[in-house]
Protein backbone atom coordinates (compact mmCIF):
# COMPACT_ATOMS: atom_id res chain seq x y z
CA UNK A 1 0.00 0.00 0.00
CA UNK A 2 0.98 3.61 -0.58
CA UNK A 3 0.94 5.49 2.73
CA UNK A 4 -0.45 9.00 2.49
CA UNK A 5 -1.62 11.65 4.93
CA UNK A 6 -4.22 14.35 4.50
CA UNK A 7 -3.72 17.96 5.60
CA UNK A 8 -7.14 19.48 6.18
CA UNK A 9 -7.39 23.22 5.67
CA UNK A 10 -10.56 25.27 6.13
CA UNK A 11 -11.32 25.07 2.41
CA UNK A 12 -8.71 22.81 0.81
CA UNK A 13 -7.06 19.45 1.44
CA UNK A 14 -3.53 18.30 0.66
CA UNK A 15 -2.90 14.63 -0.02
CA UNK A 16 0.79 13.85 0.49
CA UNK A 17 2.84 10.71 0.15
CA UNK A 18 4.80 9.81 3.26
CA UNK A 19 7.38 7.76 1.40
CA UNK A 20 7.79 9.65 -1.88
CA UNK A 21 9.02 13.16 -0.99
CA UNK A 22 7.39 15.95 -2.97
CA UNK A 23 4.46 13.93 -4.26
CA UNK A 24 1.70 16.16 -2.83
CA UNK A 25 -1.43 17.55 -4.49
CA UNK A 26 -4.20 19.83 -3.26
CA UNK A 27 -7.92 20.03 -4.02
CA UNK A 28 -11.25 20.97 -2.43
CA UNK A 29 -12.00 17.70 -0.62
CA UNK A 30 -10.30 14.55 0.64
CA UNK A 31 -11.56 12.47 -2.26
CA UNK A 32 -10.59 15.02 -4.90
CA UNK A 33 -7.14 15.53 -3.37
CA UNK A 34 -6.45 11.78 -3.35
CA UNK A 35 -7.66 11.48 -6.95
CA UNK A 36 -5.42 14.36 -7.98
CA UNK A 37 -2.44 12.82 -6.18
CA UNK A 38 -2.87 9.49 -7.94
CA UNK A 39 -3.45 11.26 -11.24
CA UNK A 40 0.04 12.74 -10.99
CA UNK A 41 1.69 9.35 -10.51
CA UNK A 42 2.98 9.20 -14.13
CA UNK A 43 4.66 12.57 -13.71
CA UNK A 44 6.20 11.64 -10.37
CA UNK A 45 7.48 8.42 -11.94
CA UNK A 46 9.88 10.55 -14.01
CA UNK A 47 11.42 11.87 -10.80
CA UNK A 48 11.64 8.45 -9.18
CA UNK A 49 13.29 6.95 -12.24
CA UNK A 50 15.82 9.81 -12.37
CA UNK A 51 16.64 8.90 -8.77
CA UNK A 52 17.20 5.31 -9.86
CA UNK A 53 14.20 3.96 -7.97
CA UNK A 54 11.46 1.56 -8.96
CA UNK A 55 8.12 3.34 -8.69
CA UNK A 56 5.27 0.99 -7.80
CA UNK A 57 3.44 2.86 -5.05
CA UNK A 58 0.26 0.75 -4.92
CA UNK A 59 -3.15 1.90 -3.79
CA UNK A 60 -3.21 4.96 -1.49
CA UNK A 61 -3.94 4.31 2.18
CA UNK A 62 -4.68 7.26 4.46
CA UNK A 63 -2.71 6.70 7.66
CA UNK A 64 -3.05 10.14 9.23
CA UNK A 65 -5.05 13.37 9.09
CA UNK A 66 -3.52 16.63 10.31
CA UNK A 67 -5.02 20.05 10.79
CA UNK A 68 -4.08 22.58 8.13
CA UNK A 69 -4.24 26.36 8.09
CA UNK A 70 -4.75 29.34 5.84
CA UNK A 71 -1.44 28.36 4.23
CA UNK A 72 -3.03 25.06 3.20
CA UNK A 73 -5.85 26.98 1.52
CA UNK A 74 -3.29 29.25 -0.14
CA UNK A 75 -1.82 26.16 -1.78
CA UNK A 76 1.20 25.09 0.28
CA UNK A 77 1.50 22.19 2.77
CA UNK A 78 2.00 23.56 6.25
CA UNK A 79 1.53 20.79 8.85
CA UNK A 80 3.98 18.09 9.88
CA UNK A 81 2.44 14.65 10.38
CA UNK A 82 3.28 12.60 13.46
CA UNK A 83 4.65 9.86 11.17
CA UNK A 84 7.62 12.08 10.37
CA UNK A 85 8.88 11.67 13.94
CA UNK A 86 9.12 7.89 13.57
CA UNK A 87 12.66 6.42 13.53
CA UNK A 88 14.16 5.87 10.08
CA UNK A 89 17.38 4.36 8.84
CA UNK A 90 20.26 5.61 6.70
CA UNK A 91 18.84 3.92 3.61
CA UNK A 92 15.60 5.89 3.93
CA UNK A 93 17.51 9.14 4.34
CA UNK A 94 19.61 8.34 1.25
CA UNK A 95 16.45 7.56 -0.71
CA UNK A 96 14.84 10.88 0.29
CA UNK A 97 17.96 12.79 -0.74
CA UNK A 98 18.17 10.93 -4.06
CA UNK A 99 14.61 11.98 -4.87
CA UNK A 100 15.33 15.57 -3.85
CA UNK A 101 18.44 15.64 -6.03
CA UNK A 102 16.40 14.26 -8.93
CA UNK A 103 13.84 17.03 -8.46
CA UNK A 104 16.60 19.65 -8.44
CA UNK A 105 18.15 18.26 -11.61
CA UNK A 106 14.87 18.04 -13.52
CA UNK A 107 13.84 21.54 -12.49
CA UNK A 108 17.16 23.00 -13.64
CA UNK A 109 17.00 21.07 -16.92
CA UNK A 110 13.44 22.25 -17.55
CA UNK A 111 14.38 25.87 -16.83
CA UNK A 112 17.31 25.64 -19.24
CA UNK A 113 15.04 24.80 -22.20
CA UNK A 114 12.01 26.90 -21.26
CA UNK A 115 11.38 30.27 -22.92
CA UNK A 116 11.39 33.33 -20.68
CA UNK A 117 7.75 34.19 -21.25
CA UNK A 118 5.30 31.59 -19.99
CA UNK A 119 1.62 31.25 -20.77
CA UNK A 120 -0.45 33.19 -18.26
CA UNK A 121 -3.16 31.72 -16.10
CA UNK A 122 -6.87 32.31 -16.68
CA UNK A 123 -6.65 35.62 -14.79
CA UNK A 124 -3.38 36.68 -16.36
CA UNK A 125 -1.25 35.60 -13.41
CA UNK A 126 1.89 33.53 -12.98
CA UNK A 127 5.62 34.19 -12.90
CA UNK A 128 7.74 34.06 -16.02
CA UNK A 129 10.68 31.65 -16.06
CA UNK A 130 13.40 33.80 -14.46
CA UNK A 131 11.13 34.95 -11.66
CA UNK A 132 9.97 31.40 -11.04
CA UNK A 133 13.55 30.15 -10.79
CA UNK A 134 14.44 33.00 -8.43
CA UNK A 135 11.37 32.25 -6.31
CA UNK A 136 12.26 28.56 -5.98
CA UNK A 137 15.86 29.41 -5.12
CA UNK A 138 14.96 31.97 -2.48
CA UNK A 139 12.31 29.74 -0.93
CA UNK A 140 14.86 26.94 -0.70
CA UNK A 141 17.26 29.22 1.13
CA UNK A 142 14.47 30.05 3.58
CA UNK A 143 13.49 26.39 3.99
CA UNK A 144 17.10 25.41 4.67
CA UNK A 145 17.14 27.65 7.73
CA UNK A 146 14.54 25.34 9.28
CA UNK A 147 17.36 22.77 9.47
CA UNK A 148 20.01 25.22 10.63
CA UNK A 149 21.56 25.67 7.17
CA UNK A 150 22.00 29.41 6.75
CA UNK A 151 23.24 31.24 3.67
CA UNK A 152 23.08 34.91 2.68
CA UNK A 153 21.41 35.78 -0.64
CA UNK A 154 23.22 33.92 -3.40
CA UNK A 155 25.67 35.77 -5.61
CA UNK A 156 26.21 32.87 -7.99
CA UNK A 157 24.96 29.43 -8.92
CA UNK A 158 27.96 28.04 -7.05
CA UNK A 159 26.56 29.54 -3.83
CA UNK A 160 23.26 27.77 -4.42
CA UNK A 161 25.02 24.47 -5.10
CA UNK A 162 27.07 24.82 -1.92
CA UNK A 163 23.88 25.29 0.08
CA UNK A 164 22.25 22.28 -1.58
CA UNK A 165 25.25 20.10 -0.75
CA UNK A 166 25.17 21.18 2.90
CA UNK A 167 21.43 20.66 3.02
CA UNK A 168 21.78 17.16 1.54
CA UNK A 169 24.45 16.32 4.10
CA UNK A 170 22.17 17.39 6.97
CA UNK A 171 19.31 15.30 5.58
CA UNK A 172 21.57 12.27 5.09
CA UNK A 173 22.66 12.57 8.70
CA UNK A 174 19.03 12.72 9.85
CA UNK A 175 19.51 16.19 11.26
CA UNK A 176 16.55 18.28 12.30
CA UNK A 177 15.66 21.72 13.56
CA UNK A 178 12.32 23.51 13.42
CA UNK A 179 11.43 20.82 10.86
CA UNK A 180 12.17 17.11 11.09
CA UNK A 181 14.49 15.70 8.44
CA UNK A 182 11.74 13.75 6.67
CA UNK A 183 9.31 16.66 6.63
CA UNK A 184 12.03 18.99 5.35
CA UNK A 185 12.85 16.62 2.47
CA UNK A 186 9.17 16.41 1.56
CA UNK A 187 8.47 20.16 1.81
CA UNK A 188 11.57 21.19 -0.14
CA UNK A 189 10.98 18.56 -2.82
CA UNK A 190 7.30 19.52 -3.06
CA UNK A 191 8.12 23.15 -3.81
CA UNK A 192 10.65 22.28 -6.49
CA UNK A 193 8.37 19.69 -8.10
CA UNK A 194 5.28 21.90 -7.92
CA UNK A 195 7.03 24.62 -9.90
CA UNK A 196 8.67 22.08 -12.24
CA UNK A 197 5.22 20.85 -13.23
CA UNK A 198 3.91 24.41 -13.43
CA UNK A 199 6.74 25.36 -15.76
CA UNK A 200 6.14 22.30 -17.93
CA UNK A 201 2.44 23.11 -18.17
CA UNK A 202 2.76 26.83 -18.80
CA UNK A 203 5.47 26.66 -21.45
CA UNK A 204 3.05 24.88 -23.76
CA UNK A 205 0.83 27.06 -26.00
CA UNK A 206 -2.45 25.72 -24.56
Amino acid sequence: MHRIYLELGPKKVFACSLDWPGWCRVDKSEELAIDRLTGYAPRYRVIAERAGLDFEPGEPMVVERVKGSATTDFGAPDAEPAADSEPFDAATAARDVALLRAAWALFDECAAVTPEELRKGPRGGGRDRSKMVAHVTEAERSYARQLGVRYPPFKSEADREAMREELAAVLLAGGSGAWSSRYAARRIAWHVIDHLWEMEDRRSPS
Side-chain angles (χ1 to χ4, degrees), residues 2-9 11-18 20-45 47 55 60 62 66 71-78 103 107 186-202:
H2 171 213
R3 300 190 309 156
I4 68 172
Y5 70 93
L6 300 177
E7 180 178 318
L8 310 175
K11 297 179 181 179
K12 292 184 180 180
V13 177
F14 260 97
C16 295
S17 172
L18 278 168
W20 295 97
W23 189 16
C24 301
R25 293 286 87 190
V26 66
D27 216 305
K28 294 180 180 179
S29 71
E30 292 189 14
E31 182 178 340
L32 290 173
I34 294 170
D35 286 347
R36 186 173 291 273
L37 181 74
T38 57
Y40 272 73
R43 297 181 79 169
Y44 193 88
R45 183 182 301 278
I47 296 159
F55 184 69
V62 178
V66 295
T71 300
T72 314
D73 286 352
F74 179 73
D78 191 43
F107 180 87
R186 182 182 311 111
R187 178 68 180 269
I188 295 167
W190 163 78
H191 195 243
V192 176
I193 292 167
D194 190 58
H195 286 294
L196 164 64
W197 289 341
E198 179 192 359
M199 193 184 304
E200 289 176 340
D201 292 343
R202 290 180 53 224

Side-chain angles (χ1 to χ4, degrees), residues 90-114:
T92 300
R95 183 176 177 279
D96 285 354
V97 170
L99 287 161
L100 178 57
R101 288 188 184 278
W104 281 334
L106 288 165
F107 180 87
D108 290 348
E109 289 170 12
C110 182
V113 298
T114 295

Side-chain angles (χ1 to χ4, degrees), residues 114-121 125-130 132 198-199 202-204:
T114 295
E116 174 61 22
E117 187 173 341
L118 298 175
R119 178 170 50 84
K120 301 302 182 185
R127 300 175 180 88
D128 283 331
R129 186 203 63 211
S130 293
M132 188 186 298
E198 179 192 359
M199 193 184 304
R202 290 180 53 224
R203 70 184 181 184
S204 61

